[in-house]
């Protein structure tokens, strides 16, 4: 375990001088609200010793320099919407909260870009683009609470990835503070940039291990004026899962292809207190969004999508209204409504392997006695499996989950897939003259880390060691 110091009164005074007392707190009641993000299992909770709210990049740099001077850990925090414990201050110390750095600095209609601070909420970024008659393509399910810097740090996906790519594909350049407190900018506002390393791509998805993102230049697009949302309802889940590849092959070019299983639909009815189509008749939803710049083109593509769904056994196709999209976007809240403690697994497999994974899930569920609901950005193979504790005793839940993970993750990797959200902890194992490092879920007890390891190496050890060598270049002081 890294050797960090506790936050001292002397460090507090220096933070006061840097930030002002209005931009930090040591109040125990307020600190308690930062002990977790959207993780609900209390074994992961850790309370910071101080929370700071910088307003400028220079203040972020100053905080990092002080943290290095006093050897105190720093945990960067965006909107706290993570389901992978990424914003939890495992070693206590400082939580650096970016919520006050939330300005929309510039929206350029002619050059199709915008410059924003990292603490801007995703819906605010989308709204600013829309007000200018433009379109920001990033659309994570957590958009109402997640911050744009967190989207970039986690390379967030969402419903539009199948057409526009992940957050990484929406970024021109990134301003950031390195672990040692230097301010730098990576990337350029260029359509073609073939020079050197694509460092802006590396920072996207680095989850705070390479620096703290403070400002961004984002790509904007013209708005397609013609739009249609449809939901095709299937009673045979496997037939539903055959649809995404057929839509893509047929040139439908959907903006989104989403999936919600029958258990998820029923969970949403309990949470939203509404009735949804075919919920009691084993209905599973494939939700398709199609956009176009031409009405005839839109009509043709919608007709093709409807025909493909019908040929695959859809019992009915309907307009996807606010109820359908509300059910899809609120699946996490519905899971929490059913079970306060739950795990939101975020995994991805090749699109042609989705059926194999979905066929395996009931077997794993039965093996460990864990109830699940499933939704997906099915067009890109990204599956969300919510594992629900329900009335299972917490001690038994904590005992079963590592085994459940080992079984699920091993199967995902055997299909050529991987985890979408990984918190990397480097756990060395003696293997002769080599060390193997693997990503794993970590359990914490009284501040000491206990690795819940799989017997399977999910990633090639050469890749993991390369990741580690990159992430330790600056010897960061945060977790």
């Amino acid at each position: 375990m890294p050797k960090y110091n506790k936050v001292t009164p002397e460090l507090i005074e220096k933070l006061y001088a840097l930030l002002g007392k209005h931009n930090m707190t040591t109040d125990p009641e307020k600190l308690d609200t930062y002990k977790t993000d959207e993780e609900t299992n209390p074994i992961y909770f850790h309370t910071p010793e101080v929370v700071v709210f910088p307003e400028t990049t220079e203040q972020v740099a100053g905080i990092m320099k002080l943290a290095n001077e006093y050897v105190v850990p720093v945990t960067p925090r965006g909107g706290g919407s993570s389901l992978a414990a990424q914003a939890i201050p495992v070693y206590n110390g400082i939580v650096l909260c970016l919520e006050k750095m939330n300005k929309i600095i510039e929206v350029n209609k002619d050059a199709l870009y915008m410059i924003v601070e990292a603490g801007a909420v995703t819906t605010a970024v989308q709204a600013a683009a829309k007000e200018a008659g433009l379109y920001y393509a990033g659309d994570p399910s957590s958009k109402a609470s997640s911050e744009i810097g967190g989207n970039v740090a986690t390379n967030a996906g969402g419903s539009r990835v199948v057409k526009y790519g992940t957050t990484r594909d929406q970024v021109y350049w990134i301003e950031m503070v390195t672990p040692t407190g230097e301010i730098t900018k990576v990337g350029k506002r260029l359509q073609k940039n073939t020079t050197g390393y694509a460092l802006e791509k590396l920072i996207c998805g680095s989850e705070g291990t390479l620096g703290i993102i403070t400002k961004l230049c984002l790509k904007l697009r013209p708005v397609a004026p013609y739009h249609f949302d449809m939901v095709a309802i299937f009673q045979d889940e496997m037939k539903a899962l055959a649809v995404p590849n057929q839509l893509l092959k047929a040139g439908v070019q959907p903006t989104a292809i989403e999936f919600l299983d029958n258990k998820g639909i029923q969970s949403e009815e309990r949470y939203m207190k509404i009735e949804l189509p075919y919920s009691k008749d084993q209905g599973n939803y494939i939700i398709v969004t199609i956009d176009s710049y031409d009405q005839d083109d839109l009509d043709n593509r919608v007709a093709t999508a409807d025909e493909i769904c019908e040929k695959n056994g859809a019992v009915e196709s309907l307009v996807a209204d606010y109820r359908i999209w509300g059910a899809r976007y609120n699946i996490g809240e519905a899971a929490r409504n059913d079970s306060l403690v739950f795990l939101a697994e975020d995994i991805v497999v090749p699109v042609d392997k989705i059926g194999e994974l979905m066929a395996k899930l009931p077997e794993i569920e039965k093996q460990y006695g864990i109830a699940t609901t499933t939704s997906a950005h099915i067009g890109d193979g990204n599956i969300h499996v919510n594992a629900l504790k329900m009335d299972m005793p917490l001690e038994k839940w904590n005992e079963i989950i590592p085994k459940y993970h080992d079984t699920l993750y091993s199967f995902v990797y055997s299909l050529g897939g991987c985890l979408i959200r990984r918190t990397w902890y480097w756990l060395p194992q003696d293997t002769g003259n080599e060390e193997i490092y693997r990503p794993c879920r970590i359990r914490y007890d009284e501040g000491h880390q206990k690795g819940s390891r799989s017997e399977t190496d999910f990633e090639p050890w050469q890749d993991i060691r390369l990741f580690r060598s990159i992430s330790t270049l600056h010897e960061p002081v945060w977790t």
Side-chain angles (χ1 to χ4, degrees):
M1 175 183 284
K3 301 295 183 183
Y4 296 122
N5 296 324
K6 292 292 184 182
V7 173
T8 63
E10 182 180 343
L11 175 55
I12 292 292
E13 287 302 317
K14 290 189 176 181
L15 289 170
Y16 279 156
L18 175 67
L19 303 170
K21 293 190 177 183
H22 63 292
N23 281 335
M24 58 185 296
T25 184
T26 55
D27 180 280
E29 189 173 326
K30 292 180 180 177
L31 294 179
D32 191 63
T33 64
Y34 292 90
K35 66 186 177 185
T36 188
D37 42 26
E38 290 295 319
E39 173 61 62
T40 55
N41 191 333
I43 69 168
Y44 297 110
F45 296 175
H46 288 270
T47 305
E49 297 161 77
V50 59
V51 179
V52 294
F53 304 91
E55 297 183 40
T56 66
T57 299
E58 289 71 22
Q59 287 181 340
V60 174
I63 293 164
M64 292 312 303
K65 289 176 180 178
L66 286 172
N68 278 274
E69 178 183 348
Y70 286 87
V71 194
V72 170
V74 177
T75 303
R77 183 183 178 101
S81 60
S82 169
L83 292 163
Q86 290 153 319
I88 294 178
V90 171
Y91 299 108
N92 310 111
I94 300 170
V95 163
L96 193 156
C97 192
L98 291 153
E99 65 184 40
K100 290 192 174 183
M101 296 180 63
N102 59 7
K103 297 182 185 66
I104 308 294
I105 297 170
E106 178 185 359
V107 179
N108 192 305
K109 298 180 183 181
D110 296 323
L112 300 178
Y113 71 86
M114 66 192 305
I115 297 174
V116 301
E117 290 185 318
V121 175
T122 310
T123 49
V125 172
Q126 292 175 328
K130 184 177 181 179
E131 186 177 348
L134 298 170
Y135 181 66
Y136 172 67
D139 192 47
S141 297
S142 60
K143 58 188 174 183
S145 57
S146 65
E147 294 173 6
I148 194 68
N151 291 178
V152 174
T154 59
N155 190 27
S159 61
R160 300 171 186 164
V161 168
V162 67
K163 185 171 184 179
Y164 297 112
T166 62
T167 302
R168 179 179 280 130
D169 300 298
Q170 319 308 325
V171 175
Y172 276 125
W173 55 254
I174 297 169
E175 180 187 85
M176 57 179 277
V177 175
T178 70
T180 48
E182 291 81 22
I183 298 170
T184 188
K185 188 173 85 171
V186 294
K188 296 182 184 298
R189 190 174 60 80
L190 299 172
Q191 292 295 330
K192 181 179 181 180
N193 185 2
T194 61
T195 304
Y197 297 124
L199 293 177
E200 74 282 7
K201 304 288 188 185
L202 179 64
I203 299 303
C204 292
S206 62
E207 302 188 17
T209 59
L210 300 178
I212 300 176
I213 297 163
T214 56
K215 192 182 299 181
L216 299 151
C217 182
L218 302 172
K219 301 174 185 178
L220 298 178
R221 305 170 191 273
V223 176
Y226 303 102
H227 175 97
F228 190 83
D229 289 312
M230 65 177 283
V231 56
I233 303 166
F234 296 80
Q235 291 175 320
D236 186 326
E237 187 176 87
M238 289 301 113
K239 290 181 179 179
L241 298 174
V243 167
N245 259 353
Q246 293 182 30
L247 293 176
L248 298 173
K249 186 178 178 181
V252 172
Q253 295 181 307
T255 302
I257 315 175
E258 298 292 297
F259 171 78
L260 188 59
D261 76 351
N262 186 255
K263 290 182 291 184
I265 293 167
Q266 293 188 24
S267 175
E268 289 291 0
E269 285 189 321
R270 291 189 292 272
Y271 172 67
M272 298 172 69
K273 295 179 171 46
I274 60 172
E275 290 187 10
L276 292 167
Y278 289 83
S279 64
K280 305 300 188 293
D281 297 311
Q282 299 303 309
N284 300 276
Y285 294 168
I286 294 288
I287 311 166
V288 182
T289 296
I290 302 173
D291 296 312
S292 181
Y293 295 95
D294 179 83
Q295 182 67 62
D296 290 339
D297 174 65
L298 177 70
D299 292 343
N300 289 335
R301 289 197 277 143
V302 170
T304 300
D306 184 51
E307 181 180 343
I308 288 171
C309 291
E310 184 178 352
K311 284 183 177 179
N312 278 274
V315 295
E316 191 170 4
S317 292
L318 305 169
V319 174
D321 60 15
Y322 72 95
R323 298 173 304 154
I324 302 299
W325 277 113
R328 174 60 189 91
Y329 280 131
N330 289 315
I331 189 66
E333 287 77 5
R336 185 175 288 108
N337 181 63
D338 286 339
S339 176
L340 181 60
V341 174
F342 76 102
L343 284 174
E345 304 298 345
D346 202 352
I347 52 187
V348 63
V349 296
V351 176
D352 61 308
K353 298 291 185 180
I354 293 170
E356 291 182 49
L357 174 60
M358 296 299 291
K360 183 73 172 178
L361 289 177
E363 178 185 323
I364 298 174
E365 179 179 348
K366 183 177 180 180
Q367 180 179 352
Y368 295 105
I370 295 174
T372 66
T373 60
T374 304
S375 62
H377 306 301
I378 207 72
D380 57 50
N382 182 193
I383 316 294
H384 300 289
V385 182
N386 292 321
L388 313 177
K389 185 182 84 66
M390 306 298 278
D391 58 358
M392 183 183 294
L394 186 59
E395 184 176 344
K396 183 179 180 182
W397 170 262
N398 290 332
E399 179 185 340
I400 284 175
I401 285 302
K403 301 171 186 176
Y404 164 78
H405 278 154
D406 290 348
T407 302
L408 175 62
Y409 297 167
S410 295
F411 188 73
V412 167
Y413 276 79
S414 76
L415 296 176
C418 67
L419 310 186
I420 291 288
R421 294 284 171 265
R422 291 174 288 194
T423 301
W424 294 94
Y425 296 90
W426 308 108
L427 304 179
Q429 286 186 316
D430 292 329
T431 56
N433 294 323
E434 298 289 348
E435 289 180 318
I436 292 179
Y437 299 86
R438 57 167 67 94
C440 57
R441 185 78 175 200
I442 299 296
R443 295 180 60 191
Y444 297 98
D445 182 20
E446 298 178 354
H448 299 285
Q449 75 178 35
K450 297 180 178 180
S452 167
R453 308 188 191 195
S454 167
E455 292 303 314
T456 303
D457 292 326
F458 297 133
E459 297 276 9
W461 68 265
Q462 297 95 334
D463 291 0
I464 304 302
R465 294 192 71 184
L466 178 59
F467 297 158
R468 182 176 186 263
S469 66
I470 293 170
S471 69
T472 56
L473 283 175
H474 291 280
E475 294 297 325
V477 298
W478 57 66
T479 58

